[in-house]
Amino acid sequence: MTEPTTDFRVPVRQLLKLTIPAALVGILCGLLLIGLSALAKVVEDWLWDDLSGLFGLDRDSPVWIVVILTLTGLLVGLVIQFAPGHAGPDPASAGLVEPPLPPRVLPGLALAMVLMLAGGVSLGPENPIMAINAALVVWIGARVAGRVGVPQWMALSTAGTLGAMFGTPLAAALMFSEMDPGDRRIPLWDRLFAPLVSSSTGALTMLLLSDLDMAMDVPEYPGLHVTDLAIAVAVSLGAAALGLLASYVFTPLHRLVHRVRQPVLLLTLGGLVLGLLGAVGGSITLFKGLEQMKQLPGMVGETTALGFLAFALIKLVALLVASSVGFRGGRIFPATFVGVSLGFAVSVAFPSVPPALAVGAATVGIIVAATRSGWLSIFLVVAIIPQATLIPPLLFATLAAWLLVTNRPELRAAPLDEPTPAEAGSGAPLTPPDTTEEQGSVDRA
């Protein structure tokens, strides 16, 4: 490994030149997320409130849940079948950051995303909005500033979208520092300069134009006790183990359902299964889970530990089904709901365990298992439970979960044309493709 040299000068002028493009990219990413989310909300209100009333049904009616999820599967299947580029590649085997798509694919992907969000499918907007923003930024950037390469535009788009999704540039800062992208001769903060400008403007756009708030109303953590470290580790390991179980099931389930070669039929059947799961779990287990998890603290007095556990398991199964059949969506937000619900199950079963500690530890455990990102796990918990005193036990919980899941598959299906470890006879875990080059930072020229 080559040691960093001391005679390399940071390209400060290049950083300054990228400031305005980076800011504009962040604004664009925020506006696209806000616009598509607002459109999805309009469709959601019409489907679940206005249309249900015409038939004399409530939006929480099991019959209506089954009808709408099945209809959503049919419509998304039609989009995937007939839209140019089939609304993008299969998201089950895709990471959060992938090479940019051709522009002709984006209308179909955007429509599939809006229908998925409006229809109550247990997936979030992460993967589709990252792909849409990246493709547009790269396409526009190549025409207005051709000297800036694709990796740099990808970095700006990724950072801007992360800032917009979570309402803070810290999400991008933490994840990019984990990736450690770009030329190692340049100090990390210089490499992160332009992406953080994009992330900041993306976050500001979201905060100024929307009501994004991820925080839950959880009782204040009373303070650290030595036993809390053991509790946090135990809860985190349990949640991570559940996430690993889902990871091992994901690829076989994905391959099983894709024996149905016709997208319309596959998505319709998938929507029907999601509707039945939603009818059993109730409306709390539908949609991406961000707003639904905020309802969980108010249900503590009326829901048993087994009830919260059931919410978590139904949501996890719905996540696997939705991803496996091909709905265009991400897995981070629904996995977060699973972790929060698991945490409340623990705190209700063991009243001596502070809810904030149980929810935080369970959430970092399953997010580490799902994403292999320690920073993202901790950041999400701090965003939903903004209590600084939780950070020490959560760090121990994250490290414990990391040891359990390392060298094992993340919550991501192997591509259909790629042999599983068992089929290859190696027994080695699947590893995601290296996307470091697509996540590079500033141009060092």
Side-chain angles (χ1 to χ4, degrees), residues 219-230:
E220 190 76 20
Y221 178 54
L224 181 63
H225 299 278
V226 175
T227 55
D228 289 351
L229 299 180

Side-chain angles (χ1 to χ4, degrees), residues 79 193 213 232 256 295 303 382 399 409 433 445:
V79 172
F193 183 88
D213 182 12
L256 175 65
Q295 302 173 27
T303 306
V382 172
L399 293 172

Side-chain angles (χ1 to χ4, degrees), residues 45-67:
D45 291 342
W46 180 78
L47 283 175
W48 292 92
D49 295 323
D50 300 338
L51 190 60
S52 64
L54 293 178
F55 293 93
L57 295 172
D58 186 79
R59 68 177 290 152
D60 296 329
S61 165
V63 173
W64 193 246
I65 289 174
V66 173
V67 168

Side-chain angles (χ1 to χ4, degrees), residues 326-407:
F327 282 102
R328 276 23 182 184
R331 300 178 284 277
I332 295 175
F333 285 120
T336 302
F337 175 93
V338 173
V340 171
S341 192
L342 286 174
F344 279 114
V346 171
S347 67
V348 170
F350 304 96
S352 61
V353 178
L357 180 69
V359 169
T363 302
V364 296
I366 199 158
I367 297 298
V368 164
T371 66
R372 293 302 183 279
S373 174
W375 281 130
L376 177 61
S377 307
I378 296 172
F379 165 78
L380 275 172
V381 172
V382 172
I384 63 179
I385 311 176
Q387 301 180 24
T389 51
L390 274 175
I391 294 178
L394 290 184
L395 280 172
F396 278 94
T398 302
L399 293 172
W402 189 271
L403 289 177
L404 178 64
V405 305
T406 192
N407 296 326

